[in-house]
Structures are given as structure tokens and as C-alpha cells.
Amino acid sequence: MPTKESDGAEVRLGSRFHRLFGATLVSSIGTGMHAAALPLLALQTTSSPLALSAVVMAAEIPWVLFSLHAGVVVDRLDRRRVMVWADLARFSVLVGLAALILTAQVSLVWLVAAAFLLGAGQVFFDIAAQSAIPDFVSRDPRNLAAANGRILAAESSGEDFVGPPVGSALFGVWNVLPFAGNALSFAASGLLILSIKTDAQPEKKSGAPRTSVRSEIVEGIRWLFGNRTLRALAMVSCLGNVAVTAQFAMLALLAKEVLGLPDFGFGLLLTATAVGATAGGLTAAAAGRRFGPSTVMLAGKAGVGAAILVLGLVANSWVAAAMMMVTGALMTAEKVVVSTLRQQIVPDELLGRVFSSSRLVVMIGGPIGAALGGVLATVFAVQVSYVAAGVFLILVALAFYPVLNNRALASATRHPAR
């Protein structure tokens, strides 16, 4: 069935994409459920803050350890099957964890191992799903933008809006329920993806000698940094992540000390971000067609900077909620534009590796931003970290305009070769 974007243009994405969308939504809800339930289970097992941080870190480490190798796997194999195997692996982990909970055998070691394995599964699933979108909807920029927007909206809705409160509520009823429900969500996701019919195509790189994993990783990295537009997209996203991570790292402190909100109010700020992100994902394609990808990306980045700046200057909870909603919407719209441009520029056989290399570059900004935000809040005040992050993000948008304006991006997508 054709669908219409908000500007009235018809976009046909097809049943294969809609099954991928359904699988992503179901899988994301499950991810949000265990993201909330795992720390609660850790606190039920031990009251140590270090134990809690170990569980959270275990879920993030796989992105550093496996993302580049996952890119090679995704480019070598059928991406649909990579997603199915990732879902099957996560289903098995959660069934095992549920069994440990039922038999009262769960321990911190098992929780850390489960968080690590679930995080590894998400790495392979996310990279495969992002790389498979052009296979399912073609490389038409309108279709790619609409598909990316809906996938990101599904991820945000599931992981940030629906999954965490459902997981927390089920945990309160019976601690095994969120993990059992999460296992079912991954099973449903895997079945949906397995039902997607793929075009009969010869094996990738058939007849050509297979190179080593290391050389294929290097090829992806070289393609990323050898293409001026892709390099700029990765760098602007990394620098943006510095500011945004500084914002979110200090959000709990801002909510308590400056806004005077209870814990529940802090949760509502996160919910406002998720609501904005869903709206941004659904409207990004139409905005990109009307204003151009550069306007959505760089004006959006400057808009996020302005919203962060307001958070540091205005101590009002309603204003804060509005700014968090703006942040979520504009950040997601930016991601849609960046993903669409990458899918247009990068050859299909390199998509997984270039995407994973870009993701790793972007992630570098996270710990830097968290550390800088903490230092500024400690030495000066928490509001200072927000003002600094906001101004920095506006300057980043201005600095990258010569490379990433609409004319430069149009040329890059017309002539994608290096």
C-alpha cells in the first residue's frame, strides 16, 4: 500500500520494508524492556553501584569490540539472515536468563554476561538492518528518507518510549516477566524478517578470491575517510555527539538541582525526548524534500545547540520539557538525513563496513562529551556545561556549512565515486 508523507507526496515502500519495520519496532520494544529491567535485576541481586555500572557498561562495550567486524559479516552474508541469527541469539540468551531467575541461580556474573551478549546481538542486528534498507526500498532518495525516518521512529518509540515503562511495570509484577516478554519479542522479530522474500541474486563477490577480515575492515575505513562528504558527515556527527552526550550526562543533575524535579519528573524529560524523536523520524523525509538535506541537518544541529543553550539559561521545567522534545525531534531528523546520504553514496557491497566505521567514529564523541560535561559542572556549575555545549554545537554547524551545504550534497549524491 502506498503511503503519503506530510507534504502529500506518495511513497511506496512495499511489503518487505513493512515487515522490516514491524520487526524493528517489536525488537526495539524488547530492547527497551531489558534496558530497564536488567539494572533493576542487578539492584535486586546486589546493591553495589559498581555492579550496576558493570551491567550498563557490558551492554555498550560490544559496539567498540565488534562493530567493525560486524560490518564485514554484514557485507559478506545475506543481511536478512544476519538479522535472524542476531534475534535467535538474543532469544536464547533471554530464555537462559529467565531460567536462571526462575531457579534462583542468577548472579552478577550472569547479568554482565547477558548484557554483553544482548549488546553484541544488537550491534549485528542494527548494522544489518541499516545496510539492508536500500535492498528493500531501492536507492531512490525519497524512499530511502521515508524508510530511514520510519525505522528511526520505530527504534525511538520502542527503546525509549514504550519498552522501558513496560519493562519496569512487568518487573514490578514478577521479575521474570520482562525477560520472558523480551524473548518473545525477539522471536517475533526473527520470524517477521525470515518471512521477507529476497531477490534471487548470485553470491556476493562470487568468483573473486575472498580477502582477509582485516583487509576488508581497512577497505571500509579507507572508503569512509577517502570520501570528502562521508568524512565530513562522520566528523560532524562525532562532534555533535560530544555536545549531546554532555547534555544527557548532566540531565539528572540539572533536573534535581536546577529544576527541582523528583525522579519521576526526570523520567518525563526522557519521555519528552522520545516523543520528539518519534515525530522527527516521521517528518524528516518531508522536511528534507522541502528544505534540502543540508538545511535539515545543519540547521537542525544548530537548533539542538540552541535548545541545549536554553536548558542552561532558563530554570523552568515546562521549558526544559519543550527543549528536550525539540532536541529529540531535530537529532532524529539529522540521523535520517545522514543515513540516507550514506546509503546513496556508498556501494552496496561496502555499506556494512562504512556504516560500522562511521558508527565507531561517532561513538568516540560520547565519552569525551560525558567527561567534559562532568568537569564543567564540577568546576563551575551544571548550567555552564549546557551553555558551553550549546554554543559549541552552533559553531560546529557553521563550520561544516561550506562542505555540507545543499549544493555540495547534491553533487556528492550525483557523483558518489571518490
Side-chain angles (χ1 to χ4, degrees):
M1 288 286 294
T3 57
K4 286 192 176 183
E5 296 300 303
S6 59
D7 62 355
E10 252 187 21
V11 176
R12 296 175 182 270
L13 298 179
S15 62
R16 296 197 298 178
F17 169 77
H18 289 120
R19 293 186 188 194
L20 175 64
F21 172 83
T24 301
L25 179 59
V26 171
S27 175
S28 297
I29 291 173
T31 299
M33 287 170 63
H34 79 242
L38 265 177
L40 292 174
L41 187 59
L43 290 175
Q44 198 175 72
T45 306
T46 172
S47 59
S48 168
L50 288 177
L52 180 60
S53 65
V55 172
V56 175
M57 284 179 58
E60 298 297 327
I61 287 174
W63 277 106
V64 178
L65 297 181
F66 302 134
S67 59
L68 294 178
H69 293 82
V72 174
V73 171
V74 165
D75 284 341
R76 282 186 174 186
L77 304 180
D78 180 344
R79 288 159 184 164
R80 181 183 62 114
R81 294 192 178 277
V82 173
M83 287 185 278
V84 171
W85 280 108
D87 277 335
L88 179 61
R90 290 186 287 180
F91 168 80
S92 302
V93 170
L94 286 162
V95 168
L97 184 58
L100 289 170
I101 296 171
L102 287 172
T103 57
Q105 297 296 316
V106 68
S107 66
L108 179 61
V109 173
W110 287 117
L111 290 178
V112 169
F116 180 82
L117 293 172
L118 291 169
Q122 186 177 6
V123 170
F124 283 87
F125 184 95
D126 286 359
I127 292 176
Q130 188 68 218
S131 304
I133 288 175
D135 299 336
F136 295 158
V137 303
S138 84
R139 286 189 178 237
D140 183 295
R142 291 198 328 162
N143 288 359
L144 285 175
N148 284 315
R150 291 172 199 176
I151 289 294
L152 284 170
E155 289 177 352
S156 178
S157 296
E159 293 181 14
D160 302 322
F161 189 52
V162 179
V166 170
S168 301
L170 290 176
F171 188 90
V173 176
W174 187 16
N175 61 1
V176 76
L177 286 180
F179 303 104
N182 194 180
L184 291 176
S185 76
F186 288 136
S189 171
L191 289 173
L192 275 170
I193 294 168
L194 197 59
S195 70
I196 298 173
K197 304 296 182 187
T198 56
D199 298 327
Q201 293 178 340
E203 187 75 18
K204 291 177 187 177
K205 299 183 180 180
S206 58
R210 175 161 287 182
T211 55
S212 68
V213 170
R214 181 180 178 278
S215 63
E216 290 189 40
I217 289 174
V218 170
E219 184 182 12
I221 294 172
R222 282 178 177 167
W223 225 97
L224 170 65
F225 286 100
N227 184 288
R228 185 181 184 221
T229 303
L230 293 175
R231 183 172 64 245
L233 290 173
M235 292 306 299
V236 76
S237 297
C238 176
L239 293 173
N241 198 29
V242 172
V244 171
T245 304
Q247 171 199 7
F248 278 95
M250 296 296 106
L251 187 60
L253 191 61
L254 183 82
K256 272 187 177 300
E257 293 190 357
V258 179
L259 301 177
L261 292 174
D263 292 341
F264 179 73
F266 169 61
L268 289 180
L269 290 180
L270 297 178
T271 300
T273 309
V275 171
T278 301
L282 294 176
T283 58
R289 286 196 298 275
R290 180 162 185 172
F291 303 109
S294 173
T295 304
V296 174
M297 179 172 55
L298 294 182
K301 196 165 288 295
V304 172
I308 296 174
L309 188 59
V310 170
L311 282 169
L313 296 174
V314 180
N316 180 282
S317 57
W318 291 104
V319 172
M323 292 304 100
M324 294 305 295
M325 196 175 295
V326 168
T327 297
L330 296 180
M331 280 174 51
T332 305
E334 290 174 47
K335 289 179 184 177
V336 170
V337 169
V338 172
S339 296
T340 302
L341 290 168
R342 188 189 298 119
Q343 290 159 347
Q344 288 179 267
I345 295 170
V346 181
D348 181 71
E349 66 274 11
L350 280 161
L351 257 179
R353 282 168 285 168
V354 174
F355 174 71
S356 61
S357 300
S358 301
R359 185 69 180 261
L360 197 57
V361 171
V362 173
M363 283 187 63
I364 292 171
I368 295 173
L372 288 175
V375 169
L376 289 173
T378 301
V379 176
F380 302 103
V382 65
Q383 296 100 316
V384 173
S385 66
Y386 279 81
V387 171
V391 171
F392 174 74
L393 206 47
I394 293 170
L395 292 176
V396 166
L398 293 173
F400 277 86
Y401 179 77
V403 183
L404 297 175
N405 58 62
N406 281 325
R407 181 176 295 181
L409 293 179
S411 175
T413 53
R414 281 197 304 268
H415 310 289
R418 279 182 291 181

